[in-house]
């Protein structure tokens, strides 16, 4: 990971500068071991701690190992913040699984897989789809929002883009935050909010506090969600989120755009029409 030392378990999981960055972003006060075995470090610094600390320490080691394998075998770089996010989300899922061994797991049955096709919301309910987009070459990121009624008709579509470099999960979380703010401004209630980013849905539903830029946005989403009436967030496949994806991708060309059914471009109307008859 760092190309400065020979790889060993102790170096990879504890001593490496990348590992140290991960531990510093965690809630654990873990000292670096100058020499010795990994088992010695674990017995000295982790075992005397509470069960919660031990569980998080194990999960962080696992997440660091996953990041190492992604780098070695796939050439994929992972940030320290993403390592801690992965560790906490998976730890929370594991804890929920232990509590619900005879019932549904972290998400409701089937929700973890996500719907493959867009479906009309029930009567007197609004469905809002949201998606984020990153325009790396331009140094911008965008969000697309599409609201439809129980008949599948377009109520309003909104897209916006701003300068900045953020990781994909952060952009998706900011899209959820923008969608919740939009719903609040419109004073809508009984809303189904759909996104094709599973990690954001899991984080919003989780009780784990994430100490990262992603975690800050997630906390803001939770606070907005608490202030709204009957708004639920669900994960769907990309194929069920085409309209929002179209709006997010087109945000590259305009900082802010808003459409109603009478002013929407033909491409968007075609997506909405196909969704409503599928």
């Amino acid at each position: 990971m760092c190309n400065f030392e020979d790889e060993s378990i102790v170096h990879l999981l504890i001593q490496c500068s990348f590992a140290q960055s991960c531990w510093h972003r965690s809630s654990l006060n873990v000292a670096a071991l100058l020499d010795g075995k990994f088992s010695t470090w674990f017995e000295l610094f982790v075992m005397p701690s509470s069960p919660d600390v031990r569980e998080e320490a194990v999960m962080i080691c696992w997440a660091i190992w996953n990041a190492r394998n992604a780098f070695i075998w796939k050439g994929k770089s992972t940030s320290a913040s993403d390592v801690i996010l992965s560790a906490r989300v998976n730890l929370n899922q594991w804890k929920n699984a232990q509590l619900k061994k005879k019932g549904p797991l972290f998400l409701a049955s089937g929700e973890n897989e996500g719907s493959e096709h867009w479906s009309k919301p029930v009567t007197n309910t609004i469905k809002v789809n949201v998606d984020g987009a990153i325009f790396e070459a331009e140094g911008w990121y965008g969000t697309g929002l599409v609201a439809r009624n129980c008949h599948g008709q377009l109520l309003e579509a909104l897209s916006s883009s701003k300068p900045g470099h953020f990781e994909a999960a952060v952009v998706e979380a900011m899209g959820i935050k923008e969608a919740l703010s939009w719903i609040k401004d419109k004073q809508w209630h009984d809303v189904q909010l759909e996104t094709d980013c599973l990690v954001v849905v899991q984080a919003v539903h989780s009780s784990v506090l994430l100490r990262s830029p992603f975690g800050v946005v997630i906390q803001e989403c939770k606070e907005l969600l608490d202030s709204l009436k009957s708004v639920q967030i669900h994960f769907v496949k990309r194929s069920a989120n085409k309209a929002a994806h179209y709006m997010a991708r087109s945000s590259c060309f305009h900082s802010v755009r808003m459409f109603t059914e009478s002013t929407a471009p033909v491409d968007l109307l075609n997506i909405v029409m196909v969704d409503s008859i599928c």
Side-chain angles (χ1 to χ4, degrees):
M1 297 295 289
C2 68
N3 291 321
F4 286 113
E5 300 287 343
D6 291 336
E7 183 175 279
S8 67
I9 296 176
V10 170
H11 178 76
L12 173 67
L13 299 182
I14 307 168
Q15 295 174 339
C16 178
S17 57
F18 177 77
Q20 285 291 300
S21 295
C22 295
W23 290 110
H24 290 325
R25 284 168 170 77
S26 75
S27 58
L28 311 182
N29 184 18
V30 178
L33 189 67
L34 297 179
D35 52 26
K37 298 180 178 179
F38 174 80
S39 58
T40 303
W41 170 84
F42 198 86
E43 290 172 2
L44 288 176
F45 297 107
V46 180
M47 285 304 294
S49 306
S50 67
D52 287 342
V53 171
R54 291 199 296 270
E55 289 168 357
E56 185 171 349
V58 170
M59 197 62 77
I60 290 173
C61 289
W62 172 82
I64 293 173
W65 177 248
N66 270 354
R68 177 264 187 195
N69 287 338
F71 180 72
I72 295 295
W73 302 111
K74 299 179 181 179
K76 179 182 177 182
S77 297
T78 308
S79 69
S81 296
D82 278 347
V83 167
I84 299 304
L85 171 62
S86 172
R88 288 173 175 166
V89 168
N90 282 282
L91 177 58
N92 190 70
Q93 288 180 311
W94 179 82
K95 287 184 175 180
N96 277 277
Q98 306 313 302
L99 294 173
K100 303 177 182 179
K101 283 185 176 179
K102 296 182 179 180
L105 297 180
F106 181 66
L107 297 176
S109 179
E111 186 177 348
N112 200 32
E113 298 177 358
S115 300
E116 292 189 4
H117 303 287
W118 188 89
S119 60
K120 297 174 184 177
V122 298
T123 304
N124 297 324
T125 300
I126 295 172
K127 178 171 285 189
V128 175
N129 288 81
V130 56
D131 197 16
I134 296 176
F135 310 107
E136 191 169 351
E138 294 80 8
W140 285 65
Y141 67 95
T143 299
L145 309 171
V146 178
R148 284 170 275 190
N149 62 18
C150 59
H151 304 293
Q153 296 171 324
L154 179 66
L155 296 176
E156 196 169 305
L158 178 69
S159 68
S160 62
S161 59
K162 299 176 182 178
H165 291 277
F166 297 98
E167 295 169 355
V170 177
V171 170
E172 297 288 356
M174 288 191 292
I176 293 290
K177 178 186 172 184
E178 187 168 335
L180 292 170
S181 298
W182 191 43
I183 293 168
K184 188 172 184 177
D185 291 341
K186 292 289 183 179
Q187 297 184 343
W188 287 335
H189 56 82
D190 297 321
V191 178
Q192 298 176 22
L193 179 58
E194 294 183 341
T195 172
D196 56 29
C197 185
L198 179 59
V199 69
V200 173
V201 176
Q202 291 176 329
V204 170
H205 289 167
S206 171
S207 59
V208 176
L209 179 62
L210 305 172
R211 294 179 174 84
S212 65
F214 176 80
V216 171
V217 181
I218 290 298
Q219 185 58 38
E220 291 172 342
C221 289
K222 290 180 179 180
E223 292 171 0
L224 275 169
L225 196 58
D226 289 341
S227 69
L228 296 170
K229 181 180 179 181
S230 301
V231 177
Q232 298 179 333
I233 301 178
H234 301 287
F235 165 70
V236 295
K237 297 287 182 60
R238 170 63 61 82
S239 56
N241 206 36
K242 291 180 180 178
H245 180 67
Y246 168 84
M247 290 298 294
R249 296 306 304 175
S250 65
S251 70
C252 179
F253 306 106
H254 306 274
S255 57
V256 178
R257 289 199 305 173
M258 190 276 289
F259 300 118
T260 60
E261 191 170 48
S262 62
T263 60
V266 174
D267 289 342
L268 176 59
L269 291 177
N270 286 340
I271 296 172
V272 170
M273 181 183 67
V274 171
D275 281 345
S276 66
I277 62 177
C278 288

